[in-house]
Amino acid sequence: MSRWKRYVVGPDAEGRSAVLDTEQTNVQENPGYFWRCTVWGTEETPADNSIEGDRSLMITTREPLPGGMLFRSLEIPPDPADTAEHVAQLTKLSTEIKQTVMPSEADLKRHPSMHRTNTLDVITCVMGEIYLVTDVDEVLMTPGDTVVIRGTNHAWSNRSDKPALLSGVMVDAVPKVGH
């Protein structure tokens, strides 16, 4: 998968704004299935800029910490031909990252990446094209298209022959009653 730069700007030793870091540090990948980087995260809102260190490293779950947010980039390769293996790889990932709401069999039949989080997500397609899949719709997203996901089922289906890059923020949210 691709390697994207992350620039962290903050105060230097003299209090002047400076680039403090240029590397991604919280990256997970499974070639052929996903590449993702948690660019930044907080455990509070509003964010406390006085906290030092690489705040992306504290995020080890799919969702932000309670009361927090995360910003993540996700590169999705073309959908694998082997659907059963696609489901197996993404189910393994969901277990590892402590997915709070596991998809049902019906969800996984709709698409192997179907999932739901207790978050408010704002995600933009940066490169390539990808289908946003919901319980009832499919929408082709191309660079510049943005989706707001309010704690509902969704999946990403790359039906092209090139990777797609998504970037977005997830904010901890109160789940809708009945979900």
Side-chain angles (χ1 to χ4, degrees), residues 16-168:
R16 300 170 301 178
S17 66
V19 176
L20 304 177
D21 195 357
T22 61
E23 296 300 318
Q24 300 164 347
T25 55
N26 188 343
V27 174
Q28 299 88 38
E29 73 178 299
N30 185 341
Y33 297 96
F34 67 88
W35 174 95
R36 72 184 205 161
C37 174
T38 301
V39 178
W40 203 252
T42 70
E43 34 188 339
E44 75 287 330
T45 49
D48 183 347
N49 283 333
S50 71
I51 298 173
E52 298 292 328
D54 185 346
R55 299 204 65 202
S56 75
L57 295 175
M58 71 178 141
I59 308 292
T60 59
T61 56
R62 179 180 299 265
E63 298 181 28
L65 297 170
M69 61 69 69
L70 65 81
F71 184 86
R72 188 171 277 149
S73 290
L74 176 65
E75 189 174 289
I76 302 173
D79 287 351
D82 185 341
T83 302
E85 185 61 19
H86 195 186
V87 168
Q89 292 299 321
L90 295 182
T91 298
K92 179 181 175 215
L93 171 67
S94 291
T95 301
E96 289 172 358
I97 59 175
K98 300 173 184 86
Q99 176 77 33
T100 47
V101 182
M102 294 301 280
S104 69
E105 287 296 319
D107 292 338
L108 295 175
K109 284 182 182 169
R110 178 85 170 116
H111 192 274
S113 73
M114 187 65 81
H115 65 286
R116 177 169 61 84
T117 56
N118 292 321
T119 57
L120 172 66
D121 307 349
V122 181
I123 301 171
T124 300
C125 180
V126 177
M127 179 186 81
E129 62 179 46
I130 196 153
Y131 281 86
L132 165 67
V133 179
T134 70
D135 290 336
V136 297
D137 300 303
E138 295 187 3
V139 177
L140 178 62
M141 293 180 62
T142 58
D145 292 347
T146 300
V147 60
V148 176
I149 303 170
R150 299 173 49 215
T152 58
N153 269 353
H154 63 283
W156 304 108
S157 180
N158 185 341
R159 300 171 191 165
S160 76
D161 60 355
K162 294 183 176 81
L165 178 67
L166 304 173
S167 286

Side-chain angles (χ1 to χ4, degrees), residues 2-20:
S2 298
R3 179 102 172 126
W4 304 97
K5 286 276 192 189
R6 174 190 78 156
Y7 298 97
V8 178
V9 175
D12 67 8
E14 288 80 42
R16 300 170 301 178
S17 66
V19 176
L20 304 177

